[in-house]
Amino acid sequence: MNRPDYQSVGKSVRKKDSLQLLLGKPVYTDDIVPDALVVKLLRSPHANAIVETIDTSKAKKLPGVVDVYTWEDVPNERFSNAGQTYPETSPYDRLIIDRHVRFVGDVVAIVAAETEEAAEKALGRIKVTYNVLEPVLDFRAAKDNPVLVHPEDNWHMLCDLGGDNTRNLVGGTADSDGDVEAVLADCDIVLERTYHTKAYNQAMMETFRTFTQLDRYGRLHVISSTQIVFHVRRILSNALGISKSRIRVEKPRIGGGFGAKQTAVCEVYPAFVTMKTGRPAMCIFSRKEAQTCGSPRHEMEISVRLGANNDGRIRALAVNTLSNSGAYGEHGWATVGLTGHKSIPLYTGSLEAFKFTADVVYTNMQPSGAYRGFGATQGQFAVETIVNELAEKLGIDPIVIREQNMVREGMAMPAYYGEVTNSCALDRCMERCAELFDWKAKYPVREMGNGKVRAAGVGMSMQGSGISGIDVGSVTVKLNDDGSFMMLIGAADMGTGCDTILAQMVAEHMECSVENVSVFGADTDASPYDSGSYASSTTYVTGMAVEKACTQLKEKLCAIAADVLECKPEELQFEDGCVLRESTGQKVSLQEIAVKSQCSNREAPEATAMHSSPVSPPPFMVGMAEIELDRETGVVEVLNYAAVVDCGIPINPALARIQVEGGIVQGIGHTLMEDVTRTATGKIRESSLFTYRLPTRLDTGRINVEFENSYEPTGPFGAKSIGEIVINTPAPALTQAIYRATGVWHRELPILPEHILLAKPEE
């Protein structure tokens, strides 16, 4: 579709922080904080145990050790580490330190020392005796297991979402429309499959890290690499038992998050030390800690039943998900909902009935959290793969079968809370991707000689744009002395470019250059409230707050200009970056308004606006993969990946493209190499980037990305989200390509070379 002729929006503007990053300027937490106590954590070697005794006396006597804290020193009020809007859908199941340790890596003691060397030595001098208990390590057997992960009496949830600690249940959900069983009974073909995805790690380059100190007013000042400054403030208030008014949280540049930093993984430990000692404290997770004690993607098992006619019309889908939350329940209930609600609606065009059920269980494993895609990744791997299996079984091109069944613009989606697709270019994404990829030439299996074969696969995806009815975005825009603008935000730019994208929107509304818009955020003392950067919400939700704030600011600037011209504000309008009195042709510049605002003025030249959307319009995407598989080694080489995305109107096409390319690379890693395995006692083996293999540029082939624009009427400048959807299509596309090359469907991720070599075709 034709894009409106905007001056700033829709342009590939350079990121606001690009030069600082390019020149290596101090921008990250560890670069900018002063000297502080080093905080280290003693961790449990057992998956389930009670601390019987703990002797810290020798550790405390070491030179440079300030103190050592145990379960006896912390408050006994449980809290949640989940970065979610209050009331959180995650259980209050944590203590700062608990006598009952629940996974290998759970915190047993906190060491505060003058140097890292002293802190490390102290960890080795603490003597602990444990009463080792039987752990729950099989999430399929966790529900109603006699071994309880959380037997405590003060476990509680703020929302009734099916959670029950006496049954090892974090929560559950169910949704349906129509009579699934009746429709399945009437179908020509019914497929029933079960799929399994692992607990993938975000593996961001900057690990978890937080600095804390008491400011000149005695308040707790927190500088953290986080996506959720306002939620961190609440979490620390709950954990420490102090008022939120005594806590300030800010974030500098973030070295990657991908959802990991939507959980307050490390903030509470240095904060506790600072409150105890009155001294600045710093906690930095090692790579091993980030890999084994962070907040990875939820491991899930997803069972799907699909009913269809022989002509390829999909009539019924039933999805049942079992999610492994690990030892704590952060984001468990929220994540599992997307496995059904973001996969089933893709086939709204033909579905007569659907059913979605899910359980989230506790186990004695590393606790999980948010990760880009947030449940949709797992659900779409399952549903898209079973649709590809249907296409192969019926001998129908998988593109054709999707074109027969896919959701289209104007349709109501019962499996997506009844929302209507006001903007949907999924059909055009499929058509353009097939052309871009050259599907007709690459879909047939091609023998290349020397045991190598080439094949292709496809997948499609939808996500959301914020959490409807919950997420809040806020912006303050104010006029500076020189006629430029300052924008204050509470959203966190974690490399996604939201500082730049929101500045482009301000520039468009206020008819100035992007360079004339400065950005400040995120800081709980200065920024207006924002839920944070997650759930693909910033461009869509906070972007609408920008629109509202700029509209209000224009009215205020006209009111100030009216004093200059000694006329009524109704006679004025904001035009061409100044205020115009059309009847006389008089103009008042922004600089003149700024000067007037500082003398005998009653109208502040600034505006704050908040936005929350009752809907969450989905972006859509199609991805196609071409591989070359070596039958002698099982090695899969990704040759080409084509993707076409409908994110409404891209605000910054270059940044949008980078988002797509990065998500595809992550999806390729999930499918072909990133693996998490555990010992019989629950210890994670892949504790470094040597053993947890991530894709490099050499592993991802040629990636080709394009956009098919739609126009979302509820979004800023017609925009929807793009941050999460981009990770979802590689798994089903690559899985189908591997099937076509080998004749074997792999229903567990990742698909490693040894899995390919050992697998046998199904009869």
Side-chain angles (χ1 to χ4, degrees), residues 41-54 69-79 81 92-103 105-110 128-131 133 148-156 165 239 268-269 272 327-328 362 364:
L41 306 174
L42 181 68
R43 298 184 178 277
S44 168
H46 306 294
N48 192 16
I50 303 293
V51 175
E52 292 285 0
T53 63
I54 182 165
Y69 306 100
T70 71
W71 63 272
E72 295 178 300
D73 302 305
V74 303
N76 194 36
E77 288 295 321
R78 295 198 177 269
F79 61 96
N81 261 345
Y92 279 38
D93 55 9
R94 282 186 178 268
L95 298 176
I96 299 173
I97 308 173
D98 202 327
R99 187 177 187 179
H100 185 171
V101 289
R102 294 173 170 85
F103 72 100
D106 212 349
V107 175
V108 177
I110 303 171
V128 187
T129 58
Y130 297 92
N131 176 17
L133 307 174
L148 297 180
V149 178
H150 282 275
E152 64 271 12
D153 294 332
N154 58 350
W155 179 100
H156 64 284
N165 61 315
V268 69
Y269 304 112
F272 178 77
Y328 299 97
Y362 283 115
N364 291 114

Side-chain angles (χ1 to χ4, degrees), residues 17 63 71 82 150 197 212 479 648:
D17 60 353
W71 63 272
H150 282 275
T197 62
T212 57
L479 182 67

Side-chain angles (χ1 to χ4, degrees), residues 489-616:
I489 62 174
D493 192 329
M494 49 185 170
T496 54
C498 78
D499 287 359
T500 307
I501 290 166
L502 296 174
Q504 286 179 257
M505 295 184 191
V506 172
E508 193 66 48
H509 283 296
M510 303 311 296
E511 302 177 53
C512 66
S513 69
V514 178
E515 287 71 25
N516 278 350
V517 182
S518 302
V519 183
F520 175 84
D523 185 326
T524 58
D525 270 13
S527 301
Y529 177 82
D530 195 288
S531 299
S533 295
Y534 60 88
S536 302
S537 63
T538 306
T539 296
Y540 175 74
V541 178
T542 309
M544 286 302 294
V546 168
E547 182 173 305
K548 290 180 177 180
C550 288
T551 299
Q552 294 173 23
L553 181 57
K554 289 177 184 178
E555 294 175 358
K556 292 187 174 187
L557 297 182
C558 286
I560 298 171
D563 281 350
V564 176
L565 298 177
E566 297 181 343
C567 67
K568 295 180 179 180
E570 293 78 16
E571 298 179 51
L572 306 178
Q573 61 190 46
F574 190 91
E575 188 176 302
D576 294 330
C578 64
V579 173
L580 171 68
R581 188 180 187 184
E582 193 170 16
S583 62
T584 63
Q586 293 171 288
K587 293 182 179 180
V588 184
S589 70
L590 292 176
Q591 291 89 339
E592 290 175 293
I593 294 173
V595 170
K596 174 57 182 171
S597 72
Q598 297 174 349
C599 181
S600 185
N601 175 56
R602 296 176 300 280
E603 188 73 68
E606 63 180 62
T608 298
M610 178 176 282
H611 182 72
S612 183
S613 176
V615 295
S616 178

Side-chain angles (χ1 to χ4, degrees), residues 247-407:
I247 303 172
R248 173 191 177 191
V249 182
E250 64 172 309
K251 69 95 195 167
R253 176 58 50 217
I254 301 174
F258 310 114
K261 295 170 184 176
Q262 192 190 339
T263 301
V265 173
C266 78
E267 284 85 348
V268 69
Y269 304 112
F272 178 77
V273 169
T274 290
M275 295 303 293
K276 280 287 189 179
T277 64
R279 297 181 57 182
M282 180 78 169
C283 181
I284 297 178
F285 273 34
S286 66
R287 179 60 60 183
K288 179 179 179 180
E289 287 178 301
Q291 291 291 120
T292 60
C293 308
S295 57
R297 191 183 293 286
H298 290 79
E299 176 187 21
M300 293 187 186
E301 184 174 83
I302 303 169
S303 299
V304 185
R305 288 188 294 160
L306 178 150
N309 286 351
N310 288 328
D311 63 359
R313 183 162 65 95
I314 299 171
R315 299 175 58 196
L317 274 170
V319 174
N320 177 261
T321 304
L322 179 65
S323 177
N324 180 3
S325 192
Y328 299 97
E330 286 95 4
H331 303 283
W333 182 88
T335 301
V336 81
L338 275 66
T339 62
H341 292 306
K342 298 290 172 67
S343 59
I344 299 170
L346 285 165
Y347 296 92
T348 297
S350 62
L351 276 185
E352 298 170 31
F354 81 88
K355 184 178 182 180
F356 171 49
T357 55
D359 280 328
V360 186
V361 295
Y362 283 115
T363 61
N364 291 114
M365 298 182 184
Q366 178 186 13
S368 296
Y371 191 167
R372 189 182 208 170
F374 202 76
T377 312
Q378 298 97 309
Q380 287 171 14
F381 163 61
V383 170
E384 287 299 283
T385 300
I386 202 170
V387 170
N388 282 335
E389 292 196 40
L390 175 68
E392 297 288 349
K393 192 168 278 290
L394 294 177
I396 301 175
D397 188 306
I399 287 181
V400 173
I401 211 167
R402 285 175 170 82
E403 289 173 338
Q404 286 179 261
N405 297 284
M406 69 170 57
V407 63

